[in-house]
Amino acid sequence: MSTPAIARELMVASQLRDRGISDPRVLEAMLRVPRHEFVPEPYRAQAYEDHPLPIGDNQTISQPYIVAVMLEALQLRPSDKVLEVGTGSGYVTALLAELAAEVFSIERHPALARKARDLLAGLGYSNVHVFAGDGTLGLPAAAPFDAIMVAAAAPDLPPALIAQLDDQGRMIIPIGTDDSQQLQLVRMVGGQPIITPRELVRFVPLISNRDE
Ligand code: SAH
């Protein structure tokens, strides 16, 4: 086995399985996706460690455990159409592409969007579409979505994202201020969002174009 593959085995066993992540599809996807490819060269040796890492433009690739918690909460099916807000490195985009049928991902930094698009294409992911833009508006042209994953913290639930969830659709999103955030799991049932508070987290802020 290659060194990264061994590091991935260890990451999945000690950071995920031992901490209670049990969905076999999530664990398998995290064994498959080469996280080191999404980490810039100076940090590559730390790619499988238990923390976020810088990816440029003041942004970070999320901690593996938090990614797994969010993916598990979404209960993705192989037929699902998914929206990701905050492509960043493209790491989570690749995981979503392993778990669902089609992934639409939006990133507000054009340079990060371009890099992630090229990397994902190079790794052979043909079921992903990466766009540069404001993810708080969602992607009305591709809606509704079975699942939405938001990788940056919003002060409140963005109404456009709720509106683009299909019936029985799920969204996982960090809500709160810079230093106090909590993941919220939203499930659409008969046109109403049912909200379940989950783990406390720390994400970079979701910046809407209206804030600038
Ligand atoms: N899942 C990514 C996380 C990246 S951090 C990874 O593991 O690499 C969150 C990303 O959200 C950043 O790249 C940031 O630029 C982006 N972001 C912040 N506000 C946004 C918005 N309104 N629309 C789209 N992307 C946004």
Side-chain angles (χ1 to χ4, degrees), residues 48-131:
Y48 295 99
E49 291 182 9
D50 191 17
H51 49 75
L53 289 165
I55 56 169
D57 283 306
N58 269 327
Q59 305 302 323
T60 55
I61 178 171
S62 309
Q63 179 193 13
Y65 173 69
I66 293 299
V67 171
V69 164
M70 295 172 81
L71 290 173
E72 192 168 61
L74 285 177
Q75 297 185 306
L76 296 169
R77 292 161 305 197
S79 58
D80 280 349
K81 180 169 68 172
V82 181
L83 174 68
E84 179 189 30
V85 176
T87 317
S89 66
Y91 173 61
V92 175
T93 326
L95 290 163
L96 292 168
E98 296 271 353
L99 292 164
E102 205 174 9
V103 183
F104 295 84
S105 186
I106 315 179
E107 167 57 53
R108 71 180 278 276
H109 280 289
L112 288 176
R114 211 174 308 122
K115 213 163 131 191
R117 193 183 295 125
D118 291 350
L119 186 54
L120 289 161
L123 290 170
Y125 289 103
S126 53
N127 57 339
V128 303
H129 318 274
V130 179
F131 302 90

Side-chain angles (χ1 to χ4, degrees), residues 81-85 104-106 131-145 148 159-166:
K81 180 169 68 172
V82 181
L83 174 68
E84 179 189 30
V85 176
F104 295 84
S105 186
I106 315 179
F131 302 90
D134 181 1
T136 56
L137 307 175
L139 209 56
F145 298 98
I148 301 180
L161 297 184
I162 302 260
Q164 290 171 38
L165 266 184
D166 209 348

Side-chain angles (χ1 to χ4, degrees), residues 35-58:
R35 182 171 161 95
H36 61 283
E37 301 272 4
F38 296 88
V39 169
E41 195 55 65
Y43 302 102
R44 227 166 240 193
Q46 301 175 53
Y48 295 99
E49 291 182 9
D50 191 17
H51 49 75
L53 289 165
I55 56 169
D57 283 306
N58 269 327

